[in-house]
Amino acid sequence: MVSYAKKQNLANGEHNRDGSPNELSWTSAQPARLQRSLLATLMLSRGTPMLLAGDELGRSQQGNNNAYCQDSALSWLDWELDEPRLELLEFTRRLLRFRRRWLRGWTSERWLDADGAPVEGALPLAFLMHRGDGLLLVNAAARRQRFALPPGRWRVALDTAGVRSVNAHYTLAAHALAVLLS
């Protein structure tokens, strides 16, 4: 989803006509950040997170979106843990621990815009969600977004772009997610 702009189904013997023509994939200069952001969005959402085997390792089918007929390295899980895959696996483990500990106490939600005002109508691409002692910041935009923070002392518990400093505002990278705790 973060590495290929178009399906790569030639190996299926259907002249690339099989599989969904509706492409949900898009590429970026920061595929690792996108992987972390997508995993964090899933793990910090309500409900039961559903991962396909290997998502926690950055599994790829080399762009093949219809690999059901492949009994080859294209569809097999690669258990070799090079540095980037090991980092993504550890990030996923950290997300699971964080989800188990932090989301358990979620009692109320307030959706706010980047300036801290209550959201009315359609959600903007960048928003924050209040949990009492925590904020979930999400920036789905293709540009950096600056958030005004409620009064208090905030610390970064998670930022998919790796930012660690907090003041009265928090600037979140494009396509990134952060959790701040008080």
Side-chain angles (χ1 to χ4, degrees):
M1 184 170 186
V2 300
S3 302
Y4 296 91
K6 297 190 184 293
K7 64 182 177 179
Q8 308 288 318
N9 294 359
L10 289 173
N12 297 357
E14 299 289 329
H15 306 288
N16 212 34
R17 291 184 307 236
D18 65 325
S20 174
N22 301 319
E23 294 302 325
L24 302 175
S25 304
W26 38 285
T27 59
S28 164
Q30 298 291 332
R33 179 189 307 158
L34 284 173
Q35 285 176 318
R36 290 188 305 269
S37 295
L38 289 167
L39 281 167
T41 301
L42 174 67
M43 292 299 172
L44 298 177
S45 298
R46 290 187 181 223
T48 304
M50 302 293 285
L51 282 176
L52 180 64
D55 284 350
E56 72 282 9
L57 302 172
R59 178 177 178 250
S60 171
Q61 296 176 161
Q62 281 75 58
N64 191 315
N65 72 1
N66 195 30
Y68 74 94
C69 63
Q70 297 295 323
D71 185 13
S72 67
L74 189 69
S75 61
W76 297 339
L77 288 179
D78 180 4
W79 294 103
E80 292 295 321
L81 295 178
D82 59 9
E83 191 64 29
R85 297 179 84 206
L86 193 55
E87 287 174 6
L88 188 60
L89 177 61
E90 185 49 43
F91 180 78
T92 304
R93 288 176 176 152
R94 197 168 138 223
L95 278 172
L96 288 166
R97 287 189 300 269
F98 189 81
R99 175 185 171 83
R100 184 177 24 230
R101 185 178 70 244
W102 191 70
L103 287 187
R104 199 167 277 182
W106 200 279
T107 57
S108 65
E109 304 170 348
R110 279 194 313 143
W111 292 89
L112 308 170
D113 66 18
D115 294 321
V119 171
E120 296 182 18
L123 290 174
L125 289 177
F127 57 92
L128 57 88
M129 191 166 68
H130 184 65
R131 179 196 173 256
D133 65 345
L135 298 170
L136 172 63
L137 305 165
V138 179
N139 183 11
R143 59 177 170 65
R144 298 173 68 79
Q145 176 65 51
R146 186 174 180 213
F147 290 90
L149 301 178
R153 294 178 52 102
W154 298 99
R155 66 180 171 84
V156 179
L158 174 78
D159 186 318
T160 59
V163 177
R164 288 283 174 220
S165 62
V166 180
N167 53 33
H169 291 85
Y170 194 81
T171 301
L172 190 57
H175 308 297
L177 179 145
V179 176
L180 307 181
L181 299 177
S182 63

